[in-house]
């Protein structure tokens, strides 16, 4: 039989190749498809159902929550500046951005499996048989392999890589939520301790003046030594509090400096001067529980991890099916470089191949089981993340609400102690009371001032914890594409990372197995 004409051979090969290409396009994708896990949420927060105490200054309302730039609700420009600087310079955030770049590269690696590979080779060998003259052989050529994704193993790998990219993006957002919450809490702690130091210094000044007067009256014989010793003890006790408060102030400044990616003493000049404690707004909108699942980055990351696990189950299942590939080669060989240019030295080959595992000793089955178990574990982790998120919100809500009531009572106590002190001091100057009564009233008044200040700080900290639990802060600092790709040598055209995975949680449906 005569060989087919070259053009006919080419058309036949092209038709077979096109047919295999259509087979790939029409191929199925094995394994389960991803759907957002089903989670039921209550219609409203428990604390919102409790009526607000009319005696408090700040109220919780079920209006849509303000989480974009919640720190601005405190009306403190210094806090706003610290938060923005931390979001841009914090080292943990920069680490998270580096992990996003790595995940994007992983998407590119997975995507490359859809296209053929092409490689070039060349060799020179010299051989001899039975002491005969040496023979030289020059070879060069091109080799190509195209693994056809008939059953979707590569597409599932791409899906898993894209979901893993979602995880890394949400992890960065979660890092931002934690960061701005920590900056807010540390800043409130700093301002609170500065006000406590101011209270202590003013109290000490008063007590030292009292001590001087008592000492003069004791030497003049108007009061006993006991009055002098009591006055001295009160001043010494207040003086002993100052070093600990000063240490707390320095510690807070050091912590804030490191959160901004700077050396510990970088903010001493900026934050060393005393400032007032940030004030809480009159209304705190907290939204609804269902909104939490769409807003909390850790919940979104847990969902994306379930998506990646689901796709990896498909990758494992695809190992049951045959792997179809096309391979081809074209090259030249000859005993000299010049002979390689002749047509007779050409060689080529191409054709499909199938690799279908028949017996693997249960390896594939166990691999599928391992991936399914991983998926199940991360489903439990997702539900745990959701429950923990709702618990954190409820805890922050009740803490904020009760701290307001606590602070209102403490202010009443402060007013009572102020009146008691004024009355005792008046009676003492008129000779109607012993000095110990004045001292007791003064100590109670000082304690009340400290407790009110600490309650105000606790209230502001509880509000920061509430905004953090609600997942606020990350959307103000979107992903910086230029910054995420500026290191190393990224591809000129980064791979597309679009995914059918939706970050939000729509109407819930169960995962299909």
């Amino acid at each position: 039989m005569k060989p087919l004409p070259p053009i006919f051979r080419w058309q036949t090969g092209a038709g077979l190749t096109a047919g295999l290409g259509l087979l790939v396009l029409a191929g199925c994708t094995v394994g389960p498809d991803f759907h957002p896990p089903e989670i039921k949420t209550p219609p409203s927060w428990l604390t919102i159902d409790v009526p607000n105490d009319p005696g408090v200054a700040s109220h919780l309302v079920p209006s849509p929550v303000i989480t974009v730039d919640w720190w601005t609700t405190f009306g403190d420009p210094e806090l706003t500046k610290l938060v923005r600087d931390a979001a841009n310079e914090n080292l943990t955030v920069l680490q998270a951005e580096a992990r996003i770049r790595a995940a994007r590269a992983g998407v590119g690696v997975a995507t490359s499996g859809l296209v053929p590979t092409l490689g070039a080779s060349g060799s020179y060998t010299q051989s001899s048989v039975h002491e005969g003259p040496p023979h030289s052989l020059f070879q060069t050529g091109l080799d190509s392999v195209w693994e056809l994704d008939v059953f979707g193993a590569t597409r599932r790998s791409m899906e898993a890589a894209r979901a893993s990219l979602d995880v890394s993006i949400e992890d960065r957002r979660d890092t931002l939520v934690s960061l701005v919450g920590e900056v807010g809490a540390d800043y409130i702690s700093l301002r609170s301790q500065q006000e406590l130091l101011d209270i202590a210094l003013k109290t000490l000044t008063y007590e030292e003046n009292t001590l001087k007067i008592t000492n003069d009256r004791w030497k003049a014989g108007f009061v006993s030594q006991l009055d002098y010793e009591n006055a001295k003890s009160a001043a010494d006790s207040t003086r002993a509090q100052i070093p600990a408060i000063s240490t707390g102030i320095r510690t807070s400044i050091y912590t804030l400096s490191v959160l901004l990616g700077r050396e510990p003493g970088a903010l001493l000049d900026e934050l060393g001067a005393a400032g007032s404690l940030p004030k809480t707004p009159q209304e705190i909108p907290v939204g609804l529980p269902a909104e939490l699942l769409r807003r909390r980055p850790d919940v979104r990351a847990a969902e994306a991890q379930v998506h990646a696990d689901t796709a990896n189950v498909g990758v494992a299942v695809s190992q049951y099916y045959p792997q179809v590939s096309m391979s081809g080669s074209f090259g030249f060989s000859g005993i000299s470089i010049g002979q390689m240019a002749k047509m007779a030295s050409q060689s080529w080959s191409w054709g499909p191949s199938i690799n279908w595992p028949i017996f693997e000793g249960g390896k594939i089955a166990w691999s599928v089981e391992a991936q399914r178990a991983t998926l199940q574990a991360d489903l439990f982790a997702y539900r745990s993340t959701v429950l923990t998120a709702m618990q954190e919100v409820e805890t922050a809500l009740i803490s904020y609400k009760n701290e307001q009531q606590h602070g209102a009572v403490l202010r009443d106590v402060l007013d009572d102690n102020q009146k008691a002190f004024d009355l005792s001091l008046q009676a003492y100057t008129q000779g109607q009371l012993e000095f110990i009564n004045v001292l007791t009233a003064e100590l109670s008044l000082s304690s009340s001032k400290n407790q009110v200040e600490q309650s105000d700080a606790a209230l502001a900290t509880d509000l920061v914890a509430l905004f953090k639990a609600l997942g606020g802060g990350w959307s103000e600092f979107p992903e910086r594409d230029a910054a995420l790709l500026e290191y190393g040598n990224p591809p000129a055209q980064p791979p597309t990372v679009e995914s059918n995975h939706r970050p939000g949680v729509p109407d819930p449906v169960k995962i299909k197995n």
Side-chain angles (χ1 to χ4, degrees):
M1 180 181 294
K2 294 182 179 181
L4 295 173
I7 184 64
F8 184 78
R9 294 200 305 269
W10 181 87
Q11 290 175 342
T12 303
L16 180 58
T17 303
L20 288 172
L22 291 174
L23 179 62
V24 173
L25 295 177
C28 62
T29 304
V30 298
D33 293 326
F34 170 76
H35 298 276
E38 181 180 5
I39 290 290
K40 294 181 180 180
T41 59
S44 63
W45 302 110
L46 297 174
T47 306
I48 295 299
D49 294 335
V50 180
N52 283 299
D53 187 344
V56 300
S58 183
H59 300 281
L60 301 170
V61 294
S63 305
V65 62
I66 300 174
T67 58
V68 177
D69 52 355
W70 55 260
W71 47 90
T72 61
T73 62
F74 287 100
D76 190 318
E78 185 64 40
L79 174 59
T80 298
K81 179 180 180 298
L82 290 173
V83 167
R84 294 191 176 278
D85 289 347
N88 291 325
E89 303 172 27
N90 179 262
L91 298 179
T92 305
V93 173
L94 295 179
Q95 292 175 39
E97 291 180 352
R99 285 190 285 270
I100 292 178
R101 294 198 300 274
R104 283 183 172 171
V107 174
V109 171
T111 305
S112 66
L114 287 178
V115 298
T117 61
L118 179 65
S121 62
S123 67
Y124 166 74
T125 58
Q126 194 175 58
S127 62
S128 175
V129 180
H130 297 297
E131 299 181 356
H135 297 281
S136 298
L137 179 62
F138 295 86
Q139 291 180 312
T140 185
L142 299 174
D143 298 286
S144 179
V145 177
W146 184 16
E147 185 173 334
L148 307 179
D149 193 31
V150 179
F151 298 99
T154 301
R155 281 169 286 166
R156 288 300 192 194
S157 295
M158 292 169 55
E159 184 182 357
R162 289 167 179 165
S164 295
L165 174 59
D166 288 342
V167 172
S168 63
I169 290 174
E170 298 301 340
D171 283 345
R172 173 189 175 272
R173 293 170 176 174
D174 191 46
T175 300
L176 281 168
V177 171
S178 298
L179 172 65
V180 297
E182 188 171 353
V183 169
D186 288 335
Y187 181 76
I188 289 168
S189 175
L190 168 66
R191 293 311 190 198
S192 174
Q193 291 175 95
Q194 287 176 336
E195 292 201 0
L196 289 174
L197 179 61
D198 182 64
I199 292 173
L201 291 175
K202 289 180 179 178
T203 301
L204 179 61
T205 299
Y206 168 79
E207 290 173 342
E208 286 179 339
N209 289 335
T210 301
L211 176 62
K212 182 178 181 302
I213 294 173
T214 305
N215 183 47
D216 293 341
R217 290 169 61 84
W218 169 47
K219 290 182 177 179
F222 294 111
V223 298
S224 66
Q225 183 179 358
L226 179 61
D227 288 349
Y228 169 77
E229 295 298 340
N230 284 331
K232 186 174 182 300
S233 174
D236 289 342
S237 297
T238 301
R239 190 179 294 107
Q241 299 172 13
I242 293 175
I245 298 175
S246 299
T247 299
I249 291 173
R250 279 297 184 99
T251 301
S252 294
I253 294 177
Y254 295 162
T255 301
L256 286 168
S257 299
V258 173
L259 288 176
L260 269 62
R262 306 173 188 176
E263 65 275 9
L267 296 178
L268 282 174
D269 292 338
E270 181 176 345
L271 300 177
S276 58
L277 188 70
K279 303 302 181 183
T280 56
Q282 293 183 348
E283 287 190 347
I284 312 297
V286 297
L288 300 175
E291 299 171 353
L292 184 70
L293 306 187
R294 293 190 291 269
R295 189 171 51 244
R296 287 258 310 211
D298 56 343
V299 174
R300 293 153 62 107
E303 180 191 334
Q305 186 59 56
V306 171
H307 187 178
D309 294 337
T310 306
N312 283 327
V313 172
V315 174
V317 171
S318 69
Q319 302 306 307
Y320 280 119
Y321 297 88
Q323 298 175 357
V324 182
S325 61
M326 289 287 298
S327 61
S329 64
F330 179 80
F332 300 88
S333 63
I335 60 176
S336 66
I337 296 179
Q339 188 181 22
M340 291 175 61
K342 297 180 179 180
M343 295 297 294
S345 67
Q346 295 181 4
S347 63
W348 61 270
S349 66
W350 77 275
S353 64
I354 297 178
N355 181 22
W356 196 343
I358 302 298
F359 179 73
E360 295 280 334
K363 176 181 177 181
I364 298 176
W366 285 117
S367 177
V368 172
E369 176 61 23
Q371 290 298 334
R372 287 189 179 275
T374 299
L375 171 60
Q376 190 67 38
D378 284 331
L379 275 170
F380 290 136
Y382 171 81
R383 295 187 176 110
S384 176
T385 302
V386 172
L387 293 177
T388 300
M390 291 192 291
Q391 174 197 356
E392 289 177 356
V393 174
E394 293 285 12
T395 301
L397 285 171
I398 195 63
S399 297
Y400 185 81
K401 194 177 188 70
N402 287 343
E403 188 58 49
Q404 284 217 96
Q405 298 174 357
H406 180 223
V409 174
L410 287 177
R411 280 179 168 77
D412 291 339
V413 174
L414 175 60
D415 291 340
D416 295 339
N417 284 331
Q418 183 67 58
K419 292 176 183 178
F421 173 74
D422 293 340
L423 291 173
S424 63
L425 183 61
Q426 180 181 5
Y428 174 71
T429 57
Q430 296 175 354
Q432 300 173 359
L433 282 179
E434 296 293 332
F435 177 73
I436 188 62
N437 300 105
V438 178
L439 183 60
T440 300
E442 190 274 328
L443 291 176
S444 297
L445 178 60
S446 176
S447 176
S448 290
K449 290 179 179 178
N450 285 338
Q451 290 177 4
V452 168
E453 172 58 35
Q454 291 168 355
S455 176
D456 289 343
L459 184 66
T461 303
D462 287 341
L463 183 55
V464 171
L466 175 58
F467 282 126
K468 179 181 176 183
L470 290 169
W474 62 266
S475 55
E476 180 70 6
F477 308 102
E479 288 69 44
R480 298 169 292 174
D481 290 336
L484 297 179
L485 293 172
E486 66 183 354
Y487 302 105
N489 298 307
Q493 295 181 348
T496 301
V497 294
E498 295 177 356
S499 171
N500 61 353
H501 168 59
R502 292 167 290 178
V505 180
D507 293 337
V509 292
K510 294 182 178 179
I511 288 183
K512 297 180 180 179
N513 292 321

